[in-house]
């Protein structure tokens, strides 16, 4: 077990006080961190002391401006790629030259863009889509679609559909009024390799990790050395309590879909050494991350605070979102 020490915690950068931080951060070669506050629609660079270094993007509808960045993705040569959900555009920022370009890719059919990710060439992107009609149509399956897109030629190089996590549709008076993810159910996890030349995906139900090339063909399959456990009554009670303050509560729709056995892990990150980090679902006083070597061999378990979210793993530090408005850095893990 390894418990990294926290060495920085902040709820602001400069005069910007955080409201709702994004779920991912990226790191520059010098160790500075790229952070995004979604309601304030600002992307900023901070140093490891939490000090504001630069504003990369601010709120608006003009060139380079954003409304809601869905996820941050680090590209080659100190670049950053985001998908702006409200302005519906992909933006690639050059962090050294303080420049950017933006574009709207192919128009999807029944799918809509969920996020965009940098690959190893500046004109190549992984575009992840989802099918919103599945929320309102009980006959539709929940799916993700991966697209390898060349922006220069405006062409799709590869496309493949994968399962999405299970949602419980809230059906009220015969109509679908929303949905909520079913805890501990299988989910698709993905992360690009450290050089952005391949993609790791995992469907947590079968405890396998697959590495894909950029044609979305399988390069290899790694078994995950974990066993699924039965979902405990205490865990079910805890899930029910978490929906007590919602009106209407989705619990009556979630309960019938709860799995008898919970998945062994609920998140995956590929780090700068191409090690595989898996967030375990087991009940402990900590948030446990199992680190696998690139050949799938277990190396160690890293423990972080129970509440919160690991947002990046780098040679400099670990990024950790303590809550909506508090960001921390922890010591790097060898």
């Amino acid at each position: 077990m390894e418990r990294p020490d926290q060495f920085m915690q902040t709820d602001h950068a400069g005069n910007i006080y955080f409201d709702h931080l994004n779920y991912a951060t990226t790191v520059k070669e010098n160790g500075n961190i790229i952070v995004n506050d979604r309601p304030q629609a600002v992307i900023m660079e901070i140093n490891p002391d939490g000090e504001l270094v630069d504003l990369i993007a601010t709120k608006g509808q003009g060139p380079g401006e954003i409304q809601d960045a869905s996820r941050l993705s680090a590209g080659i040569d100190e670049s950053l790629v985001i998908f702006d959900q409200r302005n519906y555009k992909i933006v690639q920022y050059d962090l050294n030259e303080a420049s950017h370009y933006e574009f709207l890719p192919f128009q999807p059919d029944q799918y809509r863009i969920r996020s965009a990710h940098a690959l190893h060439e500046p004109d190549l992107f992984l575009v992840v889509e989802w099918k919103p009609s599945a929320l309102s149509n009980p006959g539709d399956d929940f799916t993700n679609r991966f697209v390898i897109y060349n922006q220069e030629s405006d062409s799709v190089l590869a496309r493949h559909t994968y399962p999405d996590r299970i949602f419980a549709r809230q059906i009220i008076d015969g109509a679908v009024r929303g949905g909520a993810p079913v805890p501990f159910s299988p989910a698709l996890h993905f992360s690009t390799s450290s050089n952005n030349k391949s993609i790791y995906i995992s469907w947590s139900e079968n405890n396998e990790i697959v590495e894909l090339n950029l044609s979305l063909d399988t390069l290899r399959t790694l078994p995950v050395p974990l066993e699924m456990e039965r979902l405990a009554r205490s865990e079910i009670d805890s899930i029910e309590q978490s929906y007590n303050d919602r009106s209407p509560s989705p619990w009556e729709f979630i309960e019938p879909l709860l799995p008898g056995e919970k998945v062994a892990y609920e998140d995956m990150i590929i780090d700068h050494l191409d090690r595989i980090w898996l967030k375990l679902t087991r009940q402990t006083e900590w948030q446990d991350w199992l680190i696998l070597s690139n050949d799938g061999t277990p190396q160690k378990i890293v423990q972080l605070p129970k509440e919160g979210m690991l947002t990046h793993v780098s040679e400099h530090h670990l990024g950790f979102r303590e809550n909506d408005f508090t960001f921390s850095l922890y010591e790097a893990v060898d």
Side-chain angles (χ1 to χ4, degrees), residues 127-141:
V127 179
V128 180
E129 305 172 324
W130 69 298
K131 189 163 59 172
S133 62
L135 281 175
S136 57
N137 184 0
D140 272 358
D141 293 328

Side-chain angles (χ1 to χ4, degrees), residues 106 117-120 123-129 145-151 153-160 162 192 196-199 212-217:
F106 55 90
H117 308 266
L119 295 174
H120 73 290
D123 294 315
L124 282 184
F125 301 87
L126 167 63
V127 179
V128 180
E129 305 172 324
R145 192 164 67 179
F146 283 15
V147 178
I148 305 299
Y149 176 70
N150 186 305
Q151 186 271 331
S153 62
D154 188 28
S155 59
V156 172
L157 305 184
R159 178 186 281 127
H160 199 282
Y162 301 93
T192 54
N196 287 348
K197 291 184 177 181
S198 65
I199 303 164
L212 306 173
N213 62 21
L214 298 188
S215 296
L216 301 179
D217 295 324

Side-chain angles (χ1 to χ4, degrees), residues 27 191-195 269-277 312-318 332-334:
V27 182
S191 181
T192 54
S193 62
S194 61
N195 60 12
I269 294 175
I270 307 299
D271 73 8
H272 56 292
L273 299 175
D274 280 328
R275 297 176 299 186
I276 303 164
W277 290 55
H312 74 249
V313 179
S314 78
E315 62 183 309
H316 302 285
H317 35 59
L318 307 179
V333 173
D334 295 329

Side-chain angles (χ1 to χ4, degrees), residues 294-308:
N294 195 250
D295 64 5
T297 303
Q299 293 188 324
K300 64 177 71 177
I301 288 179
V302 173
Q303 294 189 316
L304 294 166
K306 183 73 172 178
E307 303 300 327

Side-chain angles (χ1 to χ4, degrees), residues 4-301:
D5 291 329
Q6 183 194 88
F7 67 89
M8 189 275 282
Q9 184 181 85
T10 184
D11 63 356
H12 69 284
N15 62 358
I16 301 172
Y17 282 81
F18 303 147
D19 183 358
H20 193 283
L21 295 167
N22 209 329
Y23 304 147
T25 48
T26 68
V27 182
K28 295 182 66 175
E29 291 179 2
N30 63 6
N32 285 357
I33 307 99
I34 309 302
V35 179
N36 167 225
D37 187 287
R38 293 182 67 172
Q40 298 186 76
V42 59
I43 301 175
M44 66 203 88
E45 178 182 343
I46 64 175
N47 65 24
D49 294 321
E51 299 167 334
L52 181 64
V53 175
D54 192 19
L55 289 178
I56 297 166
T58 54
K59 190 171 187 176
Q61 297 179 315
E65 297 176 332
I66 62 169
Q67 296 281 356
D68 186 8
S70 64
R71 190 165 171 175
L72 309 183
S73 173
I76 61 173
D77 300 327
E78 301 278 76
S79 64
L80 174 74
V81 173
I82 64 104
F83 171 62
D84 184 339
Q85 298 180 107
R86 293 190 185 175
N87 288 330
Y88 208 78
K89 63 183 180 181
I90 294 173
V91 188
Q92 185 171 56
Y93 299 93
D94 184 322
L95 301 180
N96 290 327
E97 298 297 328
S99 61
H100 73 277
Y101 73 90
E102 58 188 55
F103 59 95
L104 178 62
F106 55 90
Q107 291 298 305
D109 38 30
Q110 73 269 35
Y111 285 83
R112 293 294 177 265
I113 297 174
R114 173 172 276 167
S115 60
H117 308 266
L119 295 174
H120 73 290
E121 294 180 9
D123 294 315
L124 282 184
F125 301 87
L126 167 63
V127 179
V128 180
E129 305 172 324
W130 69 298
K131 189 163 59 172
S133 62
L135 281 175
S136 57
N137 184 0
D140 272 358
D141 293 328
F142 293 104
T143 55
N144 291 284
R145 192 164 67 179
F146 283 15
V147 178
I148 305 299
Y149 176 70
N150 186 305
Q151 186 271 331
E152 183 179 28
S153 62
D154 188 28
S155 59
V156 172
L157 305 184
R159 178 186 281 127
H160 199 282
T161 301
Y162 301 93
D164 201 351
R165 70 180 305 173
I166 298 172
F167 280 78
R169 300 178 180 91
Q170 289 180 265
I171 301 176
I172 301 172
D173 297 329
V176 178
R177 302 297 185 185
V182 178
F184 298 120
S185 62
L188 181 76
H189 307 294
F190 70 94
S191 181
T192 54
S193 62
S194 61
N195 60 12
N196 287 348
K197 291 184 177 181
S198 65
I199 303 164
Y200 290 79
I201 68 168
S202 174
W203 179 247
S204 50
E205 185 176 39
N206 59 16
N207 279 4
E208 288 183 344
I209 296 170
V210 177
E211 184 178 8
L212 306 173
N213 62 21
L214 298 188
S215 296
L216 301 179
D217 295 324
T218 298
L219 295 173
R220 61 188 178 126
T221 300
L222 297 173
V224 176
L226 294 170
E227 294 183 359
M228 297 174 70
E229 300 176 353
R230 289 208 54 82
L231 186 60
R233 182 70 247 177
S234 60
E235 292 173 308
I236 296 174
D237 292 341
S238 177
I239 296 168
E240 182 179 8
Q241 291 173 8
S242 69
Y243 293 109
N244 284 345
D245 60 349
R246 293 199 190 182
S247 181
S249 171
W251 175 244
E252 66 175 291
F253 307 102
I254 290 174
E255 185 179 20
L257 299 179
L258 287 174
E261 290 186 321
K262 62 183 182 180
V263 293
Y265 57 95
E266 57 186 345
D267 200 359
M268 178 180 74
I269 294 175
I270 307 299
D271 73 8
H272 56 292
L273 299 175
D274 280 328
R275 297 176 299 186
I276 303 164
W277 290 55
L278 300 176
K279 183 184 177 185
L280 305 182
T281 58
R282 66 188 190 183
Q283 285 188 302
T284 72
E285 295 179 357
W286 297 86
Q287 182 178 134
D288 290 347
W289 287 82
L290 171 65
I291 301 180
L292 306 178
S293 67
N294 195 250
D295 64 5
T297 303
Q299 293 188 324
K300 64 177 71 177
I301 288 179

